[in-house]
Amino acid sequence: EAAGKIEPENKQLFRIAESIRSKALSLYNEASAHLMNGEHVKSIRNLNASLLANPTADAYRLRATVYRHSKKFDSAIEDLKTAMSIVHSESKGKESASVKELEEIHIQMGVTLNDIGCSLLKMNKVRDAITCFRK
């Protein structure tokens, strides 16, 4: 979030950074609406654009949710790992906020691993499913 480090004294750059963050948030909100409507491709498209403009843990977490609903479990896990990394790097001095965010990411990771296990069970890969459930 390099844009967040711009000093307010440089008003023009500050306005540009705010505009970029605003657009990224708008894309994130549109992606969330698309997810609720089951429009996964549109949701991913908006999240990709949002992440290009302003990569946030929330956007990675939402994209992980879309990937999970699309059965793209490897991509979901990668996005959750990236979200964790962002929270860790931004959490210096903000312990309480980061603990809650990390807890939410860990819960989503558990849900994703559960979905993988269920998919493996449907394919009669019982041992692999058990291994996944134990993670």
Side-chain angles (χ1 to χ4, degrees):
E1 191 171 325
K5 297 188 187 315
I6 294 173
E7 297 298 322
E9 298 90 50
N10 193 333
K11 292 177 181 164
Q12 184 177 8
L13 285 177
F14 188 76
R15 281 194 301 272
I16 292 169
E18 284 300 313
S19 175
I20 290 169
R21 280 194 290 265
S22 177
K23 181 61 178 170
L25 180 59
S26 175
L27 288 163
Y28 174 92
N29 289 335
E30 289 174 25
S32 187
H34 288 309
L35 173 60
M36 297 306 239
N37 292 327
E39 300 169 324
H40 299 155
V41 173
K42 288 181 181 178
S43 185
I44 292 291
R45 190 177 307 131
N46 282 58
L47 285 164
N48 288 343
S50 176
L51 286 163
L52 279 173
N54 188 27
T56 64
D58 285 342
Y60 276 105
R61 200 168 69 221
L62 182 59
R63 192 171 71 173
T65 299
V66 179
Y67 281 142
R68 183 173 52 82
H69 284 285
S70 302
K71 307 283 189 233
K72 296 178 180 177
F73 300 120
D74 290 339
S75 295
I77 290 171
E78 285 305 311
D79 274 3
L80 292 171
K81 288 178 181 178
T82 301
M84 277 187 244
S85 176
I86 290 171
V87 170
H88 283 297
S89 70
E90 293 178 348
S91 68
K92 295 175 181 129
K94 304 179 207 171
E95 290 302 317
S96 61
S98 65
V99 169
K100 186 178 186 313
E101 282 184 276
L102 289 171
E103 185 178 275
E104 290 172 6
I105 293 167
H106 283 284
I107 289 169
Q108 190 166 345
M109 184 71 80
V111 171
T112 302
L113 291 170
N114 184 68
D115 286 358
I116 293 169
C118 290
S119 292
L120 290 168
L121 280 176
K122 288 178 184 176
M123 295 184 290
N124 288 323
K125 296 182 177 184
V126 177
R127 288 182 198 266
D128 292 338
I130 290 170
T131 301
C132 193
F133 288 135
R134 287 186 177 157
K135 290 183 180 177

